[in-house]
């Protein structure tokens, strides 16, 4: 399914906020391995985990976990994976991200028309969306949707729902909240294919505001140009590559198969075949066409050219920035190879992996924050956002910047020179004085017009029915 640039209603990205945990939640990977809790594992298992840590791409002391599932913190106690621990983590991450986003945009909770949340493993009742409605006292007519079980890809794939909601609702504000609650996903068993998730996944959340309301005007950062999603779950290999299931001892955990990268690359290839012609440079299109024609002629004539490999175009020179799901070092390597990206293209995603780990559906939004904070974005820049996850699903979004952007996000302040951060803060504070009350007035005006039209319609129908009854009476 593809969305094109000529969508009836525009999809504007107003701003984002990524949760940055306090330093007390940082994980010392080596300290965790030598903690009392880990004595239950054999030396071979500990060495296996140490090798995974070294190859993972995560920083040795940079990423974050709740105390209840950080072995260096809970010592000999039992890991906290219950619903209470999960709710505490979820509230900490998502509420903090939403608070930061509302403060940045100046939007009141009452200005949110549609709320969409996504979290794969933790799916409580009431839902995460309901939790946020309650926490922020949102309107009684807010439309809320809580998505579960959709994995790491849904921070990108979920844009299809955001897009469709904005097509159906003019002048609407959509809040999209992404997270993966790590507490219930912690695996205390012995299966190595499930132990890997403990070493890769970390706590985090992002809140993103979208709109099609022109009242945002100068605040708009990006416009969605294309949106593509692919699901290859009809294949058993793809469907079974990632799943949350019990091991042989009945202990639940997220299973990561050895063919995850292969299946993810296969899904990405399908998506790129649709997106590629819309975004590749003319030079790359011509090179691909020349390769295809040469191979076709070679097969027809029996020449060696018919056996040459298909030309794989490079997206590196056709787009300006890349937000790749930071699922792990191997995932980034595989996706980068499939798109023929340079290390410069992959560096923002590697930075997210190093400092925040695999934050699931939030990873590409953390990457966008890094790009804006550290590199800056120029008006007209095109950004490719790629998410892959269980299913296997793949989503690709193409964004275009509507203005120059140099915001310094809280999650990346430590990566920015103090003088640049101060200048960006001044610019942002000036922009925050934009009167967002106009958004509320616009919303109330639209509702008033709707009520008036409905009243007129009902009145007209009533008069019509009276006249019709009168005419029937006269005829009788």
């Amino acid at each position: 399914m593809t969305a094109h640039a000529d969508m009836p209603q525009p999809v504007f990205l107003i701003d984002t906020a990524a949760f940055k945990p306090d330093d007390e939640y940082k994980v010392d990977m080596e300290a965790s391995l030598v903690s009392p809790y880990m004595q239950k594992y054999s030396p071979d298992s500990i060495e296996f985990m140490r090798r995974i840590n070294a190859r993972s791409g995560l920083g040795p002391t940079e990423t974050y976990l709740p105390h209840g599932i950080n072995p260096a913190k809970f010592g000999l106690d039992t890991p906290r994976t219950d619903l209470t621990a999960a709710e505490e983590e979820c509230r900490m991450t998502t509420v903090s991200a939403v608070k930061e986003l509302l403060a940045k945009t100046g939007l009141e909770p009452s200005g949110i028309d549609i709320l969409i949340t996504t979290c794969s493993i933790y799916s409580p009742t009431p839902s995460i969306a309901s939790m946020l409605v309650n926490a922020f006292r949102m309107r009684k007519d807010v439309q809320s949707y809580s998505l579960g079980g959709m994995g790491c890809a849904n921070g990108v794939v979920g844009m299809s729902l955001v897009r469709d909601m904005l097509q159906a609702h003019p002048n609407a504000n959509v809040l999209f909240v992404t997270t993966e609650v790590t507490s219930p996903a912690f695996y205390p068993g012995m299966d190595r294919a499930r132990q890997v998730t403990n070493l890769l996944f970390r706590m985090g959340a992002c809140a993103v505001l979208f709109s099609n309301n022109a009242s945002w005007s100068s605040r708009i950062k990006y416009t969605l140009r294309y949106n593509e999603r692919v699901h290859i779950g009809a294949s058993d290999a793809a469907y079974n590559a990632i799943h949350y299931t019990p091991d042989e001892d009945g202990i639940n955990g997220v299973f990561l198969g050895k063919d995850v990268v292969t299946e993810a690359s296969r899904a990405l290839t399908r998506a790129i075949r649709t997106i590629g012609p819309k975004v590749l440079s003319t030079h790359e299109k011509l090179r691909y066409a020349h390769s295809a024609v040469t191979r076709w002629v070679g097969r027809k004539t029996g020449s060696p050219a018919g056996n040459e490999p298909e030309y794989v175009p490079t997206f590196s020179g056709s787009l300006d920035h890349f937000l790749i799901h930071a699922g792990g070092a191997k995932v980034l390597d595989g996706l980068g190879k499939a798109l023929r990206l340079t290390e410069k293209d992959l560096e923002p995603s590697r930075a997210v992996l190093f400092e925040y780990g695999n934050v699931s559906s939030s990873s590409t939004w953390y990457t966008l924050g890094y790009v804006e904070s550290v590199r800056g974005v120029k008006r007209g820049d095109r950004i490719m956002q790629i998410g892959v996850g269980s299913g296997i699903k793949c989503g690709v979004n193409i964004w275009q910047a509507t203005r120059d952007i140099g915001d310094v996000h809280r999650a990346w302040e430590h990566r920015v020179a103090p003088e640049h951060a101060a200048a960006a803060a001044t610019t942002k504070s000036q922009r925050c004085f934009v009167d967002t009350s106009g958004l509320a007035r616009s919303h109330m005006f639209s509702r008033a017009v709707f009520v008036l039209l409905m009243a007129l319609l009902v009145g007209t129908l009533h008069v019509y029915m009276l006249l019709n009854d009168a005419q029937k009476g006269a005829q009788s």
Side-chain angles (χ1 to χ4, degrees), residues 63-375:
T63 59
Y64 305 86
L65 278 176
H67 295 328
I69 59 170
N70 182 351
K73 297 288 185 179
F74 64 74
L76 286 171
D77 295 335
T78 302
R80 290 192 62 210
T81 61
D82 57 88
L83 290 176
T84 300
E87 182 183 358
E88 290 172 359
E89 179 188 348
C90 187
R91 282 186 180 275
M92 175 170 58
T93 61
T94 60
V95 171
S96 297
V98 173
K99 279 183 178 179
E100 183 177 341
L101 179 68
L102 295 178
K104 289 171 71 173
T105 60
L107 184 67
E108 295 293 331
S110 59
I112 298 168
D113 302 295
I114 300 164
L115 169 64
I116 302 171
T117 66
T118 182
C119 180
S120 195
I121 303 299
Y122 179 57
S123 185
T125 300
S127 67
I128 294 175
S130 294
M131 183 193 74
L132 292 174
V133 169
N134 175 262
F136 291 95
R137 302 294 188 262
M138 295 183 190
R139 298 196 321 258
K140 291 180 175 61
D141 63 343
V142 65
Q143 294 193 38
S144 64
Y145 303 87
S146 195
L147 309 179
M150 296 189 68
C152 301
N154 212 39
V156 181
V157 171
M159 275 305 305
S160 297
L161 180 57
V162 173
R163 176 203 69 204
D164 291 347
M165 296 303 292
L166 287 175
Q167 299 313 295
H169 300 276
N171 299 315
N173 296 320
V174 178
L175 174 61
F176 186 32
V177 182
T178 63
T179 190
E180 189 55 64
V181 180
T182 56
S183 295
F186 181 83
Y187 174 69
M190 299 297 172
D191 181 12
R192 291 186 176 182
R194 290 173 171 81
Q195 288 173 350
V196 171
T197 60
N198 292 346
L199 307 174
L200 292 178
F201 285 87
R202 295 293 187 260
M203 65 189 294
C206 283
V208 192
L209 179 63
F210 302 95
S211 184
N212 53 15
N213 192 327
S215 297
W216 285 103
S217 174
S218 61
R219 302 293 300 278
I220 297 168
K221 284 186 172 182
Y222 307 98
T223 299
L224 181 65
R225 292 304 181 193
Y226 302 105
N227 165 250
E228 175 72 13
R229 60 182 294 177
V230 168
H231 199 316
I232 61 171
S235 158
D236 289 342
Y239 180 76
N240 293 314
I242 307 173
H243 48 85
Y244 180 65
T245 52
D247 62 13
E248 293 180 351
D249 298 318
I251 303 173
N252 290 332
V254 178
F255 174 90
L256 295 179
K258 294 181 179 180
D259 53 353
V260 167
V261 175
T262 300
E263 294 301 323
S265 297
R266 193 162 67 88
L268 176 60
T269 299
R270 296 288 295 273
I272 290 301
R273 285 175 181 168
T274 303
I275 287 287
K278 299 177 177 67
V279 300
L280 281 171
S281 65
T282 302
H283 175 71
E284 283 300 308
K285 291 177 184 177
L286 290 174
R287 291 191 67 178
Y288 180 82
H290 177 266
S291 170
V293 170
T294 300
R295 292 172 71 244
W296 181 81
V297 172
R299 288 194 298 269
K300 291 294 183 181
T301 61
S303 71
N307 297 322
E308 290 183 1
E310 182 181 37
Y311 176 72
V312 178
T314 173
F315 285 77
S316 188
S318 301
L319 296 154
D320 301 287
H321 307 281
F322 297 87
L323 318 176
I324 313 295
H325 169 54
K330 284 189 175 181
V331 173
L332 285 177
D333 291 343
L335 298 182
K337 182 179 180 180
L339 297 171
R340 292 185 59 195
L341 301 181
T342 66
E343 268 307 307
K344 181 181 178 182
D345 298 326
L346 292 171
E347 189 265 335
S349 297
R350 293 200 191 280
V352 172
L353 184 62
F354 185 83
E355 301 214 13
Y356 290 96
N358 182 342
V359 282
S360 190
S361 56
S362 300
S363 67
T364 57
W365 298 114
Y366 274 83
T367 310
L368 179 61
Y370 178 92
V371 169
E372 291 182 355
S373 302
V374 178
R375 294 187 173 182

Side-chain angles (χ1 to χ4, degrees), residues 38 41 102 109 112 162 256 280 376 400 404 416 441 443 466 470:
M38 302 300 286
Y41 295 103
L102 295 178
I112 298 168
V162 173
L256 295 179
L280 281 171
Q400 187 161 24
D404 291 350
V416 180
R441 289 196 297 270
H443 176 76
L466 290 175

